[in-house]
Amino acid sequence: MAEMVRKSSSDEIINHWIMALSCILLIISGYGFLFQIEGIGSLFGGFNAMKTVHNWLGVVFVLSLLYSMGHYFKDALEYDDDDRQWFKVAGGYLSHKVKVPPMGKYNPGQKLYYLAILAAGIAIALSGFAIWLIQDNAGLILLAHLVHNLAFCIFIIAVPVHIYLGTLANPGTFQIMVNGMVPLELARKRYPKWMKAAGKM
Ligand code: HEM
């Protein structure tokens, strides 16, 4: 059997699924509210029930998002020369002719994805709680709706791209979010600097 290396810990995997499932249900129910889609409302037992589910899923999502900072925040803030070069060649996604520099545990696209989800997640949660809990300040509620909808636009673009990159586009990656493991050979190819630091090159 191929030798494996651990990329994700079990608490990271569990938290990722809590974050992912709550986020996807929030996106579906939020979409239902935005366009008043009866079919989506009835999936949740009507619009009133969907509102309660949406509000509390927001609490679950933001707690898991804050918890995820312990997993990804430090890495997401560190960029070296290879990362800067990665941006110049767009990660090799636009052409097979460019040379993609060697990467560490996460590539800059993943780091920026994390920071975008964190910023948009905090904005959507704060504005959501304002809409939920504040009743007597029309100006603030209007602003909260604007922020909530703008942050929603980020999620509806970033999350499907992330799911595609974590599954079909990069075979072998999805397993990381199931059992945390990645084949050593694949890890050496994709994250050579991380493997070198771990003494596995
Ligand atoms: C259900 C669909 C999803 C799948 C299949 C999926 C898949 C994955 C995979 C395979 C990784 C590991 C990548 C690696 O270590 O190289 C990952 C990481 C991550 N996922 Fe997801 N994910 C999903 C949904 C979500 C959602 C909805 C969010 C956030 C709202 C999210 C946030 C993250 C973050 C922050 C990371 C770590 C940093 C990164 O790799 O960008 N995921 N995901």
Side-chain angles (χ1 to χ4, degrees), residues 63-129:
L63 289 178
S64 65
L65 186 66
L66 294 177
Y67 188 74
S68 78
M69 289 180 76
H71 299 135
Y72 312 117
F73 193 58
K74 189 170 167 287
D75 278 333
L77 293 179
E78 285 168 2
Y79 298 82
D80 63 13
D81 285 344
D82 287 326
D83 288 338
R84 281 183 273 280
Q85 182 59 21
W86 187 96
F87 283 118
K88 286 189 191 147
V89 299
Y93 284 110
L94 302 181
S95 162
H96 289 299
K97 290 189 190 125
V98 294
K99 192 178 174 309
V100 181
M103 288 287 107
K105 190 171 181 184
Y106 297 102
N107 70 42
Q110 290 175 293
K111 297 183 209 183
L112 282 189
Y113 171 75
Y114 181 66
L115 294 178
I117 291 293
L118 185 64
I122 291 171
I124 211 163
L126 288 177
S127 54
F129 294 140

Side-chain angles (χ1 to χ4, degrees), residues 7 16-17 19-20 23-24 61 72 106 110 113-114 117 155 159 162-163 166-167 173-174 176-177 191:
K7 192 167 186 215
H16 177 267
W17 284 113
M19 184 164 66
C23 180
I24 289 167
F61 172 72
Y72 312 117
Y106 297 102
Q110 290 175 293
Y113 171 75
Y114 181 66
I117 291 293
F155 275 89
V159 169
H162 168 74
I163 295 174
T167 54
T173 310
F174 181 59
I176 301 167
M177 279 303 143
Y191 338 102

Side-chain angles (χ1 to χ4, degrees), residues 46 48 118 123 146 161 166 169-170 184:
N48 281 340
L118 185 64
L146 179 68
V161 173
N170 294 295
L184 178 60

